[in-house]
Amino acid sequence: MNKIICIANQKGGVGKTTTAINLSASLAVANKKILLIDADSQGNSTSGLGIDRDIAEKANFYHAMIGQVPLDAVIAKTALRNLEVAPSNQDLIGLEVEFVQLEDREIRLREILKPLNGIYDFIIIDCPPSLGFMTVNALVAADSLIVPLQCEYYAMEGLGYLLNTVKLVKANLNPNLALGGILLTMFDQRNTLAHRVTEDVRQHLGDKVFKTVIPRNVRLSESPSHGLPVIMYDSKSRGAQAYMELAREILRGEML
Ligand code: ATP
Ligand code: MG
């Protein structure tokens, strides 16, 4: 059985894609077989893993979502043997409108993932910055949710909406969905506000917060432009070490 993890936060630029790519890569290095689904029309997980968004134009995640091809037909290999990706590009933008009339549009992703059951240890879904159609599909398909929170003043703003969406999805479409954990990202040791935000989040959300904190690290922001996860770009960097630690925390099973 594979575990399906959705990485979501409707706030933009909080580290969803960085976490999706680097958690996937760290789990792959730990000998787990991983499929990363790029569920965002920005295609950042796709290009960040060195896959040309134009090459993905022929058949990509969008074509699997509309039922034109099976999902396994669009899966691409990456530089890491255990890590594969379902690539996306701007094709996904139209999907929500195309599906407006469809009755069971929220369970589409869950349905197309079914034939892959047993092939991967983890399927990780990188969501777009919205609580719309794609994120709801991901929440319906997932066993567990990771919410990256940037260590800044407005970190928790909007978290209530996300948790409310989770509640609705749980009540109506996916009773198995668990809040796997809140992940603090882009932590800057020298910034007193970051320390205060961290304390605040831990106080409010307690054991729902991963022990691992992802530091602000320039290697993490550079590696996508080389089409590599940070573990292959600079394995000794603090960013690479932090995502390895997160993978270990998840594999110990304490959170998810
Ligand atoms: P979007 O909502 O647009 O999909 P996102 O939540 O996926 O954004 P990312 O793309 O992962 O966020 O990160 C936003 C920017 O911050 C990127 O340029 C990324 O390289 C950078 N970044 C993310 N995490 C870190 C970090 N820990 N240290 C330094 N830079 C980071
Ligand atoms: Mg992203």
PDB file of all heavy atoms in Angstrom, residues 49 55 68 139 152 175 187 199 206 209 239 256:
ATOM      1  N   LEU A  49      12.623  19.553 -11.172  1.00  0.00           N
ATOM      2  CA  LEU A  49      13.235  18.222 -11.272  1.00  0.00           C
ATOM      3  C   LEU A  49      13.844  18.009 -12.650  1.00  0.00           C
ATOM      4  O   LEU A  49      14.122  16.881 -13.057  1.00  0.00           O
ATOM      5  CB  LEU A  49      12.205  17.137 -10.949  1.00  0.00           C
ATOM      6  CG  LEU A  49      11.915  17.001  -9.451  1.00  0.00           C
ATOM      7  CD1 LEU A  49      10.739  16.071  -9.197  1.00  0.00           C
ATOM      8  CD2 LEU A  49      13.147  16.508  -8.691  1.00  0.00           C
ATOM      9  N   ILE A  55       8.205  19.722 -23.082  1.00  0.00           N
ATOM     10  CA  ILE A  55       8.194  18.278 -23.392  1.00  0.00           C
ATOM     11  C   ILE A  55       6.946  17.646 -22.770  1.00  0.00           C
ATOM     12  O   ILE A  55       6.316  16.777 -23.362  1.00  0.00           O
ATOM     13  CB  ILE A  55       9.475  17.588 -22.844  1.00  0.00           C
ATOM     14  CG1 ILE A  55      10.679  18.032 -23.688  1.00  0.00           C
ATOM     15  CG2 ILE A  55       9.337  16.070 -22.893  1.00  0.00           C
ATOM     16  CD1 ILE A  55      12.000  17.516 -23.199  1.00  0.00           C
ATOM     17  N   GLN A  68      -7.818  11.138 -20.869  1.00  0.00           N
ATOM     18  CA  GLN A  68      -7.350  10.847 -22.228  1.00  0.00           C
ATOM     19  C   GLN A  68      -6.308   9.719 -22.246  1.00  0.00           C
ATOM     20  O   GLN A  68      -6.273   8.921 -23.170  1.00  0.00           O
ATOM     21  CB  GLN A  68      -6.732  12.121 -22.801  1.00  0.00           C
ATOM     22  CG  GLN A  68      -6.807  12.212 -24.304  1.00  0.00           C
ATOM     23  CD  GLN A  68      -6.313  13.568 -24.772  1.00  0.00           C
ATOM     24  OE1 GLN A  68      -5.119  13.824 -24.862  1.00  0.00           O
ATOM     25  NE2 GLN A  68      -7.252  14.452 -25.053  1.00  0.00           N
ATOM     26  N   LEU A 139      -6.790  16.640  -1.560  1.00  0.00           N
ATOM     27  CA  LEU A 139      -7.216  16.289  -0.195  1.00  0.00           C
ATOM     28  C   LEU A 139      -8.100  15.041  -0.194  1.00  0.00           C
ATOM     29  O   LEU A 139      -8.059  14.234   0.730  1.00  0.00           O
ATOM     30  CB  LEU A 139      -7.966  17.465   0.448  1.00  0.00           C
ATOM     31  CG  LEU A 139      -7.121  18.697   0.787  1.00  0.00           C
ATOM     32  CD1 LEU A 139      -8.014  19.868   1.205  1.00  0.00           C
ATOM     33  CD2 LEU A 139      -6.114  18.383   1.894  1.00  0.00           C
ATOM     34  N   GLU A 152       6.981  33.667   9.378  1.00  0.00           N
ATOM     35  CA  GLU A 152       6.855  35.120   9.280  1.00  0.00           C
ATOM     36  C   GLU A 152       5.556  35.554   9.955  1.00  0.00           C
ATOM     37  O   GLU A 152       4.754  34.706  10.362  1.00  0.00           O
ATOM     38  CB  GLU A 152       6.869  35.566   7.810  1.00  0.00           C
ATOM     39  CG  GLU A 152       5.847  34.801   6.981  1.00  0.00           C
ATOM     40  CD  GLU A 152       5.201  35.643   5.912  1.00  0.00           C
ATOM     41  OE1 GLU A 152       5.896  36.101   5.003  1.00  0.00           O
ATOM     42  OE2 GLU A 152       3.958  35.819   5.998  1.00  0.00           O
ATOM     43  N   PRO A 175     -13.023  10.399   4.800  1.00  0.00           N
ATOM     44  CA  PRO A 175     -12.916  10.310   6.263  1.00  0.00           C
ATOM     45  C   PRO A 175     -11.513   9.911   6.743  1.00  0.00           C
ATOM     46  O   PRO A 175     -11.174  10.123   7.904  1.00  0.00           O
ATOM     47  CB  PRO A 175     -13.941   9.228   6.629  1.00  0.00           C
ATOM     48  CG  PRO A 175     -14.275   8.525   5.365  1.00  0.00           C
ATOM     49  CD  PRO A 175     -14.013   9.474   4.242  1.00  0.00           C
ATOM     50  N   PHE A 187      13.049  29.240   8.047  1.00  0.00           N
ATOM     51  CA  PHE A 187      13.392  29.767   9.366  1.00  0.00           C
ATOM     52  C   PHE A 187      14.757  30.443   9.316  1.00  0.00           C
ATOM     53  O   PHE A 187      15.745  29.867   8.870  1.00  0.00           O
ATOM     54  CB  PHE A 187      13.409  28.627  10.390  1.00  0.00           C
ATOM     55  CG  PHE A 187      13.787  29.055  11.771  1.00  0.00           C
ATOM     56  CD1 PHE A 187      12.877  29.741  12.562  1.00  0.00           C
ATOM     57  CD2 PHE A 187      15.045  28.801  12.277  1.00  0.00           C
ATOM     58  CE1 PHE A 187      13.221  30.154  13.847  1.00  0.00           C
ATOM     59  CE2 PHE A 187      15.396  29.209  13.552  1.00  0.00           C
ATOM     60  CZ  PHE A 187      14.483  29.889  14.330  1.00  0.00           C
ATOM     61  N   GLU A 199       7.523  29.812  18.173  1.00  0.00           N
ATOM     62  CA  GLU A 199       6.960  29.544  19.497  1.00  0.00           C
ATOM     63  C   GLU A 199       5.435  29.612  19.469  1.00  0.00           C
ATOM     64  O   GLU A 199       4.747  28.767  20.043  1.00  0.00           O
ATOM     65  CB  GLU A 199       7.467  30.576  20.512  1.00  0.00           C
ATOM     66  CG  GLU A 199       8.864  30.265  21.034  1.00  0.00           C
ATOM     67  CD  GLU A 199       9.473  31.475  21.721  1.00  0.00           C
ATOM     68  OE1 GLU A 199       8.720  32.287  22.304  1.00  0.00           O
ATOM     69  OE2 GLU A 199      10.716  31.611  21.665  1.00  0.00           O
ATOM     70  N   GLY A 206       0.825  22.719  18.844  1.00  0.00           N
ATOM     71  CA  GLY A 206       1.478  21.689  19.645  1.00  0.00           C
ATOM     72  C   GLY A 206       2.045  20.516  18.875  1.00  0.00           C
ATOM     73  O   GLY A 206       2.918  20.670  18.028  1.00  0.00           O
ATOM     74  N   VAL A 209       2.938  19.936  14.987  1.00  0.00           N
ATOM     75  CA  VAL A 209       4.039  20.607  14.286  1.00  0.00           C
ATOM     76  C   VAL A 209       5.251  19.670  14.228  1.00  0.00           C
ATOM     77  O   VAL A 209       5.655  19.107  15.250  1.00  0.00           O
ATOM     78  CB  VAL A 209       4.428  21.914  15.013  1.00  0.00           C
ATOM     79  CG1 VAL A 209       5.454  22.695  14.190  1.00  0.00           C
ATOM     80  CG2 VAL A 209       3.198  22.767  15.281  1.00  0.00           C
ATOM     81  N   GLY A 239      20.055  22.987   4.034  1.00  0.00           N
ATOM     82  CA  GLY A 239      18.752  22.688   3.454  1.00  0.00           C
ATOM     83  C   GLY A 239      18.596  21.198   3.169  1.00  0.00           C
ATOM     84  O   GLY A 239      17.568  20.591   3.491  1.00  0.00           O
ATOM     85  N   LEU A 256       2.893  11.199  10.579  1.00  0.00           N
ATOM     86  CA  LEU A 256       1.843  10.995   9.567  1.00  0.00           C
ATOM     87  C   LEU A 256       0.853   9.901   9.894  1.00  0.00           C
ATOM     88  O   LEU A 256       1.112   8.876  10.330  1.00  0.00           O
ATOM     89  CB  LEU A 256       2.496  10.691   8.216  1.00  0.00           C
ATOM     90  CG  LEU A 256       3.320  11.822   7.641  1.00  0.00           C
ATOM     91  CD1 LEU A 256       3.772  11.480   6.253  1.00  0.00           C
ATOM     92  CD2 LEU A 256       2.528  13.118   7.587  1.00  0.00           C
TER      93      LEU A 256
END
